Amino acid sequence: MAGSELIGLLARLADVGAREATAREVARALAVDRVMFFVRDPELGSLLPASGFPQTLRGGAVWRAFVRGCAGPGRCEADLDELEGSGPEPHVIAYVQADIALFLFGRSPNVDVLDTVLAALPLVGGMLRAEHAARLAEGRAAVARATGRHANDLATALDAARVDVERALAESARLNGELEERDRRKDDFLAMLGHELRNPMAAISGAIEVMRSEPDDREQLRRARAILERQADQLAHLVDDLLDVARITRGKIVLRPEPLEVGLLVQRAVDAARAAAQAKGHRLTFEVHRRVDANADRTRLEQIVTNLLTNATKYTNPPGHIRVVVDQVGNDAVISVEDDGIGIPEHLLPRIFDAFHQVDPAIDRGAGGLGVGLTVASRLARLHNGRIEVTSTLGKGSTFTLRIPAQGAPSAIAVEKPSVESVAAPTAARARILVVDDNTDSAEMMLALLESWGHEGEHVADGRAAIERAVEMRPDIVLLDIGLPGMDGFEVAARLRAEPTTKSARILALSGYGQESDRVKSRAAGCDDHLVKPVDMALLKRKLFAS
Ligand code: ADP
């Protein structure tokens, strides 16, 4: 092959796609089995195979050592048999220049052709090194691109994490705010409670002072007694409200539903509220648009309506108009209480049923109340499978609408078993009554009352004394406080039932606890009845004179 032809052939090595075929032609021209070119990596300083040449060597450690050994310019050779993983070629000769090496496999090359090829080697080297450098640069760029992509991915992940963290922080700030708000409401509530208790206490102290200093002035005594009655009533209401909230919150209130005519029940609540409304200068009107029956707990339903009426009276400047309407809408009995009072700011409407929530505690203080009335009312409505809704315009008035299912028993209403109250035996007109109470004042007051009703009474202050005295006295009735020191009322009742001389006495338990579980305990201990303190005197009288 002529020299120019050979140079042309070598120049064709530039075409990577045709490189394998070109390399085969070069090998043929050199009369060897195979040729390979190596380029020196400028950074590593070592020879690396140029890409695109046919390779049969598996590149074992001995082969790699041989290549490393051909470090400087010159010629090195080895028998391929000695080289680990060698191919079928028996021999390899490497011609190494500064940054390019020609490896010939197989037989001894044609020397003339070899001279030409070695002369052209710097040319081929320049070409292959440029290619190698480009490949390196592209590799670096690819790494950079991949790194960039990873950096992007990382940035996106970090961003997402930052959003999550910010969201978590916002949520925790919100919860914190909620807790602070609750805390504040609790503090407000305690302050309010103090206020609400101090007022009646001051009035009661005043009345007692009057009774002490003017024991003979009948008119003064009558007024003092009226004050005591009113204040005791107010305190009882306060305690009832608080206990109701607690019981409802713990799901302890059990309804006693019965079929009733809603209009008649509301009429009673309206009649009871009329005096207070009129005393404040309001007009109270009542309309029944349609007769509607419901299966409801009489006392609780009346409590809801009374609460709405009390609020309408409180939060309306006189002279106002309070309008109560009973109607049936769809399957609901609907009771609305409308006033033209001070109204409620729109943004507070959703929270008005929350416990201890008041529009403006400072202003409302004049009106009294603990901010639990609506909470109790709405939860009682829910227990009836109903609800209370409110619409209001500030300065114009409010309408509270109670809806409960009309007729038929609401399925979810819990029905209480008949209590011992309803099966209590009648009592003799003049009875011997043993009062068991460790609070001497209450006991003394009870004795005075019993005597004024025509009964004979005696008082003991603890359980053991009660049993001893009862055996001697054989009372018709035992009024038994449950919370006694040492032996409690339940045990006293059980022992009285076990004693032949006292086993047929009527035992009325008096307790600060009025939940169903307490009544069940009283019954189990042998009590005939369970009255909740403060005892409603009218109820007690009815029970004692029952016939
Ligand atoms: P209380 O009356 O003891 O404060 P409630 O739970 O009955 O508690 O009422 C909560 C608050 O709702 C009241 O403090 C008052 O601000 C507001 N409110 C209730 N009823 C009315 C009404 N008819 N008109 C205007 N505001 C009312």
Side-chain angles (χ1 to χ4, degrees), residues 192 241 307-308 311-316 339 341-344 352 354 356-360 364-365 368-375 392 397-398 400:
M192 241 188 292
D241 271 0
N307 185 278
L308 298 180
N311 279 350
T313 306
K314 270 201 292 191
Y315 301 110
T316 299
D339 64 55
I342 62 174
I344 301 163
I352 208 73
D354 291 357
F356 314 131
H357 206 90
Q358 299 186 313
V359 169
D360 184 345
D364 292 342
R365 287 309 74 231
L370 288 170
V372 295
L374 283 180
T375 313
S392 184
S398 315
F400 285 83

PDB file of all heavy atoms in Angstrom, residues 192 241 307-308 311-316 339 341-344 352 354 356-360 364-365 368-375 392 397-398 400, ligand 1:
ATOM      1  N   MET A 192     -65.535  35.334  86.795  1.00  0.00           N
ATOM      2  CA  MET A 192     -66.984  35.520  86.745  1.00  0.00           C
ATOM      3  C   MET A 192     -67.687  34.751  87.857  1.00  0.00           C
ATOM      4  O   MET A 192     -68.576  35.254  88.529  1.00  0.00           O
ATOM      5  CB  MET A 192     -67.476  34.953  85.412  1.00  0.00           C
ATOM      6  CG  MET A 192     -68.130  35.938  84.527  1.00  0.00           C
ATOM      7  SD  MET A 192     -68.802  35.030  83.176  1.00  0.00           S
ATOM      8  CE  MET A 192     -67.379  34.453  82.322  1.00  0.00           C
ATOM      9  N   ASP A 241     -76.638  24.936  86.710  1.00  0.00           N
ATOM     10  CA  ASP A 241     -76.055  25.207  85.390  1.00  0.00           C
ATOM     11  C   ASP A 241     -74.682  24.571  85.279  1.00  0.00           C
ATOM     12  O   ASP A 241     -74.363  23.906  84.295  1.00  0.00           O
ATOM     13  CB  ASP A 241     -75.895  26.718  85.175  1.00  0.00           C
ATOM     14  CG  ASP A 241     -77.139  27.321  84.554  1.00  0.00           C
ATOM     15  OD1 ASP A 241     -78.086  26.541  84.306  1.00  0.00           O
ATOM     16  OD2 ASP A 241     -77.161  28.533  84.328  1.00  0.00           O
ATOM     17  N   ASN A 307     -84.307  29.148  79.254  1.00  0.00           N
ATOM     18  CA  ASN A 307     -82.998  29.752  79.039  1.00  0.00           C
ATOM     19  C   ASN A 307     -83.044  30.793  77.919  1.00  0.00           C
ATOM     20  O   ASN A 307     -82.509  31.894  78.052  1.00  0.00           O
ATOM     21  CB  ASN A 307     -81.996  28.647  78.702  1.00  0.00           C
ATOM     22  CG  ASN A 307     -80.614  29.201  78.587  1.00  0.00           C
ATOM     23  OD1 ASN A 307     -80.264  29.732  77.548  1.00  0.00           O
ATOM     24  ND2 ASN A 307     -79.850  29.137  79.664  1.00  0.00           N
ATOM     25  N   LEU A 308     -83.721  30.446  76.810  1.00  0.00           N
ATOM     26  CA  LEU A 308     -83.800  31.395  75.692  1.00  0.00           C
ATOM     27  C   LEU A 308     -84.589  32.638  76.104  1.00  0.00           C
ATOM     28  O   LEU A 308     -84.244  33.766  75.742  1.00  0.00           O
ATOM     29  CB  LEU A 308     -84.451  30.722  74.471  1.00  0.00           C
ATOM     30  CG  LEU A 308     -83.684  29.511  73.910  1.00  0.00           C
ATOM     31  CD1 LEU A 308     -84.416  28.920  72.706  1.00  0.00           C
ATOM     32  CD2 LEU A 308     -82.255  29.896  73.517  1.00  0.00           C
ATOM     33  N   ASN A 311     -82.452  34.880  78.412  1.00  0.00           N
ATOM     34  CA  ASN A 311     -81.486  35.653  77.622  1.00  0.00           C
ATOM     35  C   ASN A 311     -82.173  36.802  76.888  1.00  0.00           C
ATOM     36  O   ASN A 311     -81.667  37.919  76.864  1.00  0.00           O
ATOM     37  CB  ASN A 311     -80.779  34.753  76.607  1.00  0.00           C
ATOM     38  CG  ASN A 311     -79.649  33.977  77.253  1.00  0.00           C
ATOM     39  OD1 ASN A 311     -79.287  34.239  78.392  1.00  0.00           O
ATOM     40  ND2 ASN A 311     -79.112  33.019  76.535  1.00  0.00           N
ATOM     41  N   ALA A 312     -83.319  36.507  76.260  1.00  0.00           N
ATOM     42  CA  ALA A 312     -84.028  37.557  75.516  1.00  0.00           C
ATOM     43  C   ALA A 312     -84.361  38.708  76.460  1.00  0.00           C
ATOM     44  O   ALA A 312     -84.227  39.884  76.103  1.00  0.00           O
ATOM     45  CB  ALA A 312     -85.290  36.977  74.885  1.00  0.00           C
ATOM     46  N   THR A 313     -84.766  38.367  77.685  1.00  0.00           N
ATOM     47  CA  THR A 313     -85.109  39.405  78.667  1.00  0.00           C
ATOM     48  C   THR A 313     -83.852  40.180  79.071  1.00  0.00           C
ATOM     49  O   THR A 313     -83.861  41.403  79.149  1.00  0.00           O
ATOM     50  CB  THR A 313     -85.745  38.749  79.919  1.00  0.00           C
ATOM     51  OG1 THR A 313     -86.837  37.955  79.479  1.00  0.00           O
ATOM     52  CG2 THR A 313     -86.225  39.783  80.899  1.00  0.00           C
ATOM     53  N   LYS A 314     -82.761  39.436  79.284  1.00  0.00           N
ATOM     54  CA  LYS A 314     -81.520  40.069  79.750  1.00  0.00           C
ATOM     55  C   LYS A 314     -80.912  40.973  78.699  1.00  0.00           C
ATOM     56  O   LYS A 314     -80.455  42.064  78.992  1.00  0.00           O
ATOM     57  CB  LYS A 314     -80.478  38.966  80.070  1.00  0.00           C
ATOM     58  CG  LYS A 314     -80.496  38.458  81.478  1.00  0.00           C
ATOM     59  CD  LYS A 314     -79.179  37.792  81.855  1.00  0.00           C
ATOM     60  CE  LYS A 314     -78.887  36.497  81.129  1.00  0.00           C
ATOM     61  NZ  LYS A 314     -77.751  35.753  81.691  1.00  0.00           N
ATOM     62  N   TYR A 315     -80.868  40.469  77.445  1.00  0.00           N
ATOM     63  CA  TYR A 315     -80.100  41.175  76.428  1.00  0.00           C
ATOM     64  C   TYR A 315     -80.984  42.039  75.523  1.00  0.00           C
ATOM     65  O   TYR A 315     -80.737  42.155  74.326  1.00  0.00           O
ATOM     66  CB  TYR A 315     -79.271  40.175  75.618  1.00  0.00           C
ATOM     67  CG  TYR A 315     -78.326  39.396  76.502  1.00  0.00           C
ATOM     68  CD1 TYR A 315     -78.518  38.039  76.760  1.00  0.00           C
ATOM     69  CD2 TYR A 315     -77.265  40.035  77.141  1.00  0.00           C
ATOM     70  CE1 TYR A 315     -77.674  37.342  77.599  1.00  0.00           C
ATOM     71  CE2 TYR A 315     -76.414  39.338  77.985  1.00  0.00           C
ATOM     72  CZ  TYR A 315     -76.624  37.997  78.211  1.00  0.00           C
ATOM     73  OH  TYR A 315     -75.787  37.310  79.058  1.00  0.00           O
ATOM     74  N   THR A 316     -82.060  42.591  76.113  1.00  0.00           N
ATOM     75  CA  THR A 316     -82.910  43.512  75.370  1.00  0.00           C
ATOM     76  C   THR A 316     -83.103  44.748  76.244  1.00  0.00           C
ATOM     77  O   THR A 316     -83.425  44.627  77.434  1.00  0.00           O
ATOM     78  CB  THR A 316     -84.282  42.855  75.071  1.00  0.00           C
ATOM     79  OG1 THR A 316     -84.048  41.683  74.282  1.00  0.00           O
ATOM     80  CG2 THR A 316     -85.201  43.794  74.322  1.00  0.00           C
ATOM     81  N   ASP A 339     -86.305  38.453  69.832  1.00  0.00           N
ATOM     82  CA  ASP A 339     -86.316  39.704  70.603  1.00  0.00           C
ATOM     83  C   ASP A 339     -85.835  40.852  69.733  1.00  0.00           C
ATOM     84  O   ASP A 339     -85.261  40.631  68.661  1.00  0.00           O
ATOM     85  CB  ASP A 339     -85.432  39.568  71.860  1.00  0.00           C
ATOM     86  CG  ASP A 339     -83.972  39.350  71.549  1.00  0.00           C
ATOM     87  OD1 ASP A 339     -83.390  40.183  70.813  1.00  0.00           O
ATOM     88  OD2 ASP A 339     -83.388  38.343  72.026  1.00  0.00           O
ATOM     89  N   GLY A 341     -83.636  43.074  70.841  1.00  0.00           N
ATOM     90  CA  GLY A 341     -82.618  43.549  71.780  1.00  0.00           C
ATOM     91  C   GLY A 341     -81.301  43.947  71.141  1.00  0.00           C
ATOM     92  O   GLY A 341     -81.254  44.328  69.962  1.00  0.00           O
ATOM     93  N   ILE A 342     -80.231  43.792  71.912  1.00  0.00           N
ATOM     94  CA  ILE A 342     -78.928  44.346  71.504  1.00  0.00           C
ATOM     95  C   ILE A 342     -78.272  43.577  70.352  1.00  0.00           C
ATOM     96  O   ILE A 342     -77.380  44.078  69.703  1.00  0.00           O
ATOM     97  CB  ILE A 342     -77.943  44.411  72.703  1.00  0.00           C
ATOM     98  CG1 ILE A 342     -77.661  43.004  73.257  1.00  0.00           C
ATOM     99  CG2 ILE A 342     -78.467  45.312  73.797  1.00  0.00           C
ATOM    100  CD1 ILE A 342     -76.592  42.982  74.334  1.00  0.00           C
ATOM    101  N   GLY A 343     -78.715  42.349  70.124  1.00  0.00           N
ATOM    102  CA  GLY A 343     -78.163  41.564  69.013  1.00  0.00           C
ATOM    103  C   GLY A 343     -76.758  41.050  69.317  1.00  0.00           C
ATOM    104  O   GLY A 343     -76.168  41.369  70.357  1.00  0.00           O
ATOM    105  N   ILE A 344     -76.254  40.248  68.381  1.00  0.00           N
ATOM    106  CA  ILE A 344     -74.936  39.607  68.568  1.00  0.00           C
ATOM    107  C   ILE A 344     -74.098  39.898  67.323  1.00  0.00           C
ATOM    108  O   ILE A 344     -74.585  39.729  66.204  1.00  0.00           O
ATOM    109  CB  ILE A 344     -75.112  38.078  68.730  1.00  0.00           C
ATOM    110  CG1 ILE A 344     -76.004  37.794  69.942  1.00  0.00           C
ATOM    111  CG2 ILE A 344     -73.775  37.373  68.864  1.00  0.00           C
ATOM    112  CD1 ILE A 344     -76.574  36.397  69.960  1.00  0.00           C
ATOM    113  N   ILE A 352     -71.277  31.318  69.877  1.00  0.00           N
ATOM    114  CA  ILE A 352     -72.152  31.725  70.963  1.00  0.00           C
ATOM    115  C   ILE A 352     -72.599  30.523  71.820  1.00  0.00           C
ATOM    116  O   ILE A 352     -72.941  30.665  72.975  1.00  0.00           O
ATOM    117  CB  ILE A 352     -73.357  32.516  70.388  1.00  0.00           C
ATOM    118  CG1 ILE A 352     -73.868  33.493  71.426  1.00  0.00           C
ATOM    119  CG2 ILE A 352     -74.446  31.645  69.877  1.00  0.00           C
ATOM    120  CD1 ILE A 352     -72.962  34.657  71.621  1.00  0.00           C
ATOM    121  N   ASP A 354     -70.565  28.027  72.527  1.00  0.00           N
ATOM    122  CA  ASP A 354     -69.403  27.471  73.245  1.00  0.00           C
ATOM    123  C   ASP A 354     -69.519  27.791  74.735  1.00  0.00           C
ATOM    124  O   ASP A 354     -69.997  28.863  75.097  1.00  0.00           O
ATOM    125  CB  ASP A 354     -68.092  28.100  72.742  1.00  0.00           C
ATOM    126  CG  ASP A 354     -67.772  27.652  71.331  1.00  0.00           C
ATOM    127  OD1 ASP A 354     -68.538  26.824  70.801  1.00  0.00           O
ATOM    128  OD2 ASP A 354     -66.783  28.145  70.781  1.00  0.00           O
ATOM    129  N   PHE A 356     -68.793  29.103  78.300  1.00  0.00           N
ATOM    130  CA  PHE A 356     -68.153  30.293  78.873  1.00  0.00           C
ATOM    131  C   PHE A 356     -67.920  31.395  77.848  1.00  0.00           C
ATOM    132  O   PHE A 356     -67.060  32.234  78.017  1.00  0.00           O
ATOM    133  CB  PHE A 356     -66.814  29.943  79.555  1.00  0.00           C
ATOM    134  CG  PHE A 356     -66.913  28.734  80.433  1.00  0.00           C
ATOM    135  CD1 PHE A 356     -66.000  27.701  80.344  1.00  0.00           C
ATOM    136  CD2 PHE A 356     -67.943  28.619  81.348  1.00  0.00           C
ATOM    137  CE1 PHE A 356     -66.108  26.578  81.140  1.00  0.00           C
ATOM    138  CE2 PHE A 356     -68.058  27.508  82.154  1.00  0.00           C
ATOM    139  CZ  PHE A 356     -67.153  26.477  82.051  1.00  0.00           C
ATOM    140  N   HIS A 357     -68.654  31.327  76.733  1.00  0.00           N
ATOM    141  CA  HIS A 357     -68.448  32.365  75.736  1.00  0.00           C
ATOM    142  C   HIS A 357     -69.501  33.446  75.883  1.00  0.00           C
ATOM    143  O   HIS A 357     -70.684  33.165  75.858  1.00  0.00           O
ATOM    144  CB  HIS A 357     -68.496  31.761  74.333  1.00  0.00           C
ATOM    145  CG  HIS A 357     -67.708  32.594  73.384  1.00  0.00           C
ATOM    146  ND1 HIS A 357     -66.371  32.389  73.156  1.00  0.00           N
ATOM    147  CD2 HIS A 357     -68.048  33.698  72.681  1.00  0.00           C
ATOM    148  CE1 HIS A 357     -65.940  33.304  72.328  1.00  0.00           C
ATOM    149  NE2 HIS A 357     -66.935  34.109  72.035  1.00  0.00           N
ATOM    150  N   GLN A 358     -69.042  34.682  76.012  1.00  0.00           N
ATOM    151  CA  GLN A 358     -69.970  35.802  76.097  1.00  0.00           C
ATOM    152  C   GLN A 358     -69.521  36.873  75.127  1.00  0.00           C
ATOM    153  O   GLN A 358     -68.334  37.031  74.881  1.00  0.00           O
ATOM    154  CB  GLN A 358     -69.985  36.345  77.529  1.00  0.00           C
ATOM    155  CG  GLN A 358     -70.437  35.273  78.506  1.00  0.00           C
ATOM    156  CD  GLN A 358     -70.601  35.788  79.905  1.00  0.00           C
ATOM    157  OE1 GLN A 358     -69.733  36.473  80.401  1.00  0.00           O
ATOM    158  NE2 GLN A 358     -71.717  35.465  80.535  1.00  0.00           N
ATOM    159  N   VAL A 359     -70.493  37.593  74.577  1.00  0.00           N
ATOM    160  CA  VAL A 359     -70.142  38.602  73.573  1.00  0.00           C
ATOM    161  C   VAL A 359     -69.182  39.603  74.182  1.00  0.00           C
ATOM    162  O   VAL A 359     -68.126  39.888  73.660  1.00  0.00           O
ATOM    163  CB  VAL A 359     -71.418  39.296  73.054  1.00  0.00           C
ATOM    164  CG1 VAL A 359     -71.049  40.515  72.229  1.00  0.00           C
ATOM    165  CG2 VAL A 359     -72.236  38.296  72.241  1.00  0.00           C
ATOM    166  N   ASP A 360     -69.532  40.121  75.317  1.00  0.00           N
ATOM    167  CA  ASP A 360     -68.659  41.079  75.983  1.00  0.00           C
ATOM    168  C   ASP A 360     -68.801  40.862  77.478  1.00  0.00           C
ATOM    169  O   ASP A 360     -69.700  41.419  78.104  1.00  0.00           O
ATOM    170  CB  ASP A 360     -69.068  42.506  75.595  1.00  0.00           C
ATOM    171  CG  ASP A 360     -68.112  43.500  76.207  1.00  0.00           C
ATOM    172  OD1 ASP A 360     -67.353  43.106  77.131  1.00  0.00           O
ATOM    173  OD2 ASP A 360     -68.116  44.664  75.769  1.00  0.00           O
ATOM    174  N   ASP A 364     -71.760  42.197  79.805  1.00  0.00           N
ATOM    175  CA  ASP A 364     -72.771  41.225  80.209  1.00  0.00           C
ATOM    176  C   ASP A 364     -72.786  40.986  81.716  1.00  0.00           C
ATOM    177  O   ASP A 364     -73.739  40.450  82.243  1.00  0.00           O
ATOM    178  CB  ASP A 364     -72.542  39.902  79.480  1.00  0.00           C
ATOM    179  CG  ASP A 364     -72.830  40.058  77.999  1.00  0.00           C
ATOM    180  OD1 ASP A 364     -73.503  41.042  77.641  1.00  0.00           O
ATOM    181  OD2 ASP A 364     -72.390  39.217  77.227  1.00  0.00           O
ATOM    182  N   ARG A 365     -71.697  41.361  82.381  1.00  0.00           N
ATOM    183  CA  ARG A 365     -71.658  41.137  83.831  1.00  0.00           C
ATOM    184  C   ARG A 365     -72.866  41.754  84.521  1.00  0.00           C
ATOM    185  O   ARG A 365     -73.373  41.221  85.465  1.00  0.00           O
ATOM    186  CB  ARG A 365     -70.373  41.707  84.460  1.00  0.00           C
ATOM    187  CG  ARG A 365     -69.100  40.965  84.208  1.00  0.00           C
ATOM    188  CD  ARG A 365     -69.156  39.484  84.517  1.00  0.00           C
ATOM    189  NE  ARG A 365     -69.906  38.785  83.521  1.00  0.00           N
ATOM    190  CZ  ARG A 365     -70.886  37.957  83.797  1.00  0.00           C
ATOM    191  NH1 ARG A 365     -71.264  37.730  85.023  1.00  0.00           N
ATOM    192  NH2 ARG A 365     -71.520  37.339  82.839  1.00  0.00           N
ATOM    193  N   GLY A 368     -75.531  39.423  84.542  1.00  0.00           N
ATOM    194  CA  GLY A 368     -75.340  38.169  85.279  1.00  0.00           C
ATOM    195  C   GLY A 368     -75.215  37.004  84.330  1.00  0.00           C
ATOM    196  O   GLY A 368     -75.349  37.142  83.126  1.00  0.00           O
ATOM    197  N   GLY A 369     -74.924  35.839  84.871  1.00  0.00           N
ATOM    198  CA  GLY A 369     -74.797  34.653  84.009  1.00  0.00           C
ATOM    199  C   GLY A 369     -73.353  34.259  83.853  1.00  0.00           C
ATOM    200  O   GLY A 369     -72.447  35.067  84.012  1.00  0.00           O
ATOM    201  N   LEU A 370     -73.156  32.968  83.544  1.00  0.00           N
ATOM    202  CA  LEU A 370     -71.794  32.429  83.464  1.00  0.00           C
ATOM    203  C   LEU A 370     -71.390  32.097  82.041  1.00  0.00           C
ATOM    204  O   LEU A 370     -70.317  31.592  81.802  1.00  0.00           O
ATOM    205  CB  LEU A 370     -71.697  31.164  84.312  1.00  0.00           C
ATOM    206  CG  LEU A 370     -71.714  31.374  85.816  1.00  0.00           C
ATOM    207  CD1 LEU A 370     -71.859  30.041  86.520  1.00  0.00           C
ATOM    208  CD2 LEU A 370     -70.448  32.066  86.271  1.00  0.00           C
ATOM    209  N   GLY A 371     -72.294  32.348  81.097  1.00  0.00           N
ATOM    210  CA  GLY A 371     -71.954  32.000  79.718  1.00  0.00           C
ATOM    211  C   GLY A 371     -72.054  30.507  79.461  1.00  0.00           C
ATOM    212  O   GLY A 371     -71.372  29.982  78.594  1.00  0.00           O
ATOM    213  N   VAL A 372     -72.888  29.815  80.228  1.00  0.00           N
ATOM    214  CA  VAL A 372     -73.040  28.377  79.977  1.00  0.00           C
ATOM    215  C   VAL A 372     -74.465  28.025  79.562  1.00  0.00           C
ATOM    216  O   VAL A 372     -74.723  26.927  79.104  1.00  0.00           O
ATOM    217  CB  VAL A 372     -72.663  27.518  81.215  1.00  0.00           C
ATOM    218  CG1 VAL A 372     -71.196  27.681  81.536  1.00  0.00           C
ATOM    219  CG2 VAL A 372     -73.521  27.857  82.408  1.00  0.00           C
ATOM    220  N   GLY A 373     -75.392  28.993  79.712  1.00  0.00           N
ATOM    221  CA  GLY A 373     -76.805  28.708  79.437  1.00  0.00           C
ATOM    222  C   GLY A 373     -77.029  28.174  78.041  1.00  0.00           C
ATOM    223  O   GLY A 373     -77.695  27.150  77.845  1.00  0.00           O
ATOM    224  N   LEU A 374     -76.447  28.844  77.032  1.00  0.00           N
ATOM    225  CA  LEU A 374     -76.670  28.415  75.650  1.00  0.00           C
ATOM    226  C   LEU A 374     -75.970  27.095  75.359  1.00  0.00           C
ATOM    227  O   LEU A 374     -76.437  26.307  74.544  1.00  0.00           O
ATOM    228  CB  LEU A 374     -76.190  29.487  74.668  1.00  0.00           C
ATOM    229  CG  LEU A 374     -77.109  30.695  74.501  1.00  0.00           C
ATOM    230  CD1 LEU A 374     -76.520  31.675  73.506  1.00  0.00           C
ATOM    231  CD2 LEU A 374     -78.501  30.256  74.035  1.00  0.00           C
ATOM    232  N   THR A 375     -74.838  26.877  76.036  1.00  0.00           N
ATOM    233  CA  THR A 375     -74.133  25.598  75.854  1.00  0.00           C
ATOM    234  C   THR A 375     -75.049  24.465  76.309  1.00  0.00           C
ATOM    235  O   THR A 375     -75.255  23.480  75.597  1.00  0.00           O
ATOM    236  CB  THR A 375     -72.855  25.569  76.716  1.00  0.00           C
ATOM    237  OG1 THR A 375     -72.170  26.791  76.539  1.00  0.00           O
ATOM    238  CG2 THR A 375     -71.971  24.410  76.357  1.00  0.00           C
ATOM    239  N   SER A 392     -79.144  36.931  63.980  1.00  0.00           N
ATOM    240  CA  SER A 392     -79.108  38.138  64.794  1.00  0.00           C
ATOM    241  C   SER A 392     -78.549  39.301  63.994  1.00  0.00           C
ATOM    242  O   SER A 392     -77.715  39.114  63.117  1.00  0.00           O
ATOM    243  CB  SER A 392     -78.236  37.885  66.025  1.00  0.00           C
ATOM    244  OG  SER A 392     -78.271  39.008  66.865  1.00  0.00           O
ATOM    245  N   GLY A 397     -81.718  42.941  67.115  1.00  0.00           N
ATOM    246  CA  GLY A 397     -82.366  41.836  67.816  1.00  0.00           C
ATOM    247  C   GLY A 397     -81.883  40.469  67.363  1.00  0.00           C
ATOM    248  O   GLY A 397     -81.083  40.367  66.437  1.00  0.00           O
ATOM    249  N   SER A 398     -82.362  39.448  68.068  1.00  0.00           N
ATOM    250  CA  SER A 398     -81.920  38.078  67.785  1.00  0.00           C
ATOM    251  C   SER A 398     -83.125  37.139  67.762  1.00  0.00           C
ATOM    252  O   SER A 398     -84.121  37.387  68.432  1.00  0.00           O
ATOM    253  CB  SER A 398     -80.989  37.564  68.886  1.00  0.00           C
ATOM    254  OG  SER A 398     -80.044  38.546  69.225  1.00  0.00           O
ATOM    255  N   PHE A 400     -83.680  33.009  68.311  1.00  0.00           N
ATOM    256  CA  PHE A 400     -83.167  31.666  68.575  1.00  0.00           C
ATOM    257  C   PHE A 400     -84.278  30.689  68.224  1.00  0.00           C
ATOM    258  O   PHE A 400     -85.407  30.844  68.684  1.00  0.00           O
ATOM    259  CB  PHE A 400     -82.772  31.515  70.047  1.00  0.00           C
ATOM    260  CG  PHE A 400     -81.482  32.219  70.378  1.00  0.00           C
ATOM    261  CD1 PHE A 400     -81.466  33.582  70.653  1.00  0.00           C
ATOM    262  CD2 PHE A 400     -80.285  31.523  70.410  1.00  0.00           C
ATOM    263  CE1 PHE A 400     -80.283  34.237  70.949  1.00  0.00           C
ATOM    264  CE2 PHE A 400     -79.092  32.165  70.703  1.00  0.00           C
ATOM    265  CZ  PHE A 400     -79.089  33.533  70.973  1.00  0.00           C
TER     266      PHE A 400
HETATM  267  P1  ADP B   1     -74.951  34.062  79.868  1.00  0.00           P
HETATM  268  O1  ADP B   1     -76.237  34.672  79.505  1.00  0.00           O
HETATM  269  O2  ADP B   1     -74.941  33.401  81.193  1.00  0.00           O
HETATM  270  O3  ADP B   1     -73.766  34.961  79.673  1.00  0.00           O
HETATM  271  P2  ADP B   1     -75.424  32.208  77.666  1.00  0.00           P
HETATM  272  O4  ADP B   1     -74.695  30.990  77.277  1.00  0.00           O
HETATM  273  O5  ADP B   1     -76.884  32.069  77.936  1.00  0.00           O
HETATM  274  O6  ADP B   1     -74.652  32.819  78.891  1.00  0.00           O
HETATM  275  O7  ADP B   1     -75.212  33.273  76.526  1.00  0.00           O
HETATM  276  C1  ADP B   1     -73.921  33.505  76.023  1.00  0.00           C
HETATM  277  C2  ADP B   1     -73.800  34.902  75.472  1.00  0.00           C
HETATM  278  O8  ADP B   1     -74.593  35.020  74.287  1.00  0.00           O
HETATM  279  C3  ADP B   1     -74.325  35.983  76.393  1.00  0.00           C
HETATM  280  O9  ADP B   1     -73.336  36.364  77.333  1.00  0.00           O
HETATM  281  C4  ADP B   1     -74.653  37.087  75.415  1.00  0.00           C
HETATM  282  O10 ADP B   1     -73.497  37.809  75.096  1.00  0.00           O
HETATM  283  C5  ADP B   1     -75.095  36.338  74.166  1.00  0.00           C
HETATM  284  N1  ADP B   1     -76.563  36.230  74.028  1.00  0.00           N
HETATM  285  C6  ADP B   1     -77.344  35.187  74.379  1.00  0.00           C
HETATM  286  N2  ADP B   1     -78.642  35.418  74.089  1.00  0.00           N
HETATM  287  C7  ADP B   1     -78.697  36.643  73.543  1.00  0.00           C
HETATM  288  C8  ADP B   1     -79.765  37.464  73.028  1.00  0.00           C
HETATM  289  N3  ADP B   1     -81.048  37.060  73.002  1.00  0.00           N
HETATM  290  N4  ADP B   1     -79.438  38.691  72.542  1.00  0.00           N
HETATM  291  C9  ADP B   1     -78.130  39.110  72.534  1.00  0.00           C
HETATM  292  N5  ADP B   1     -77.093  38.389  73.016  1.00  0.00           N
HETATM  293  C10 ADP B   1     -77.367  37.176  73.513  1.00  0.00           C
END
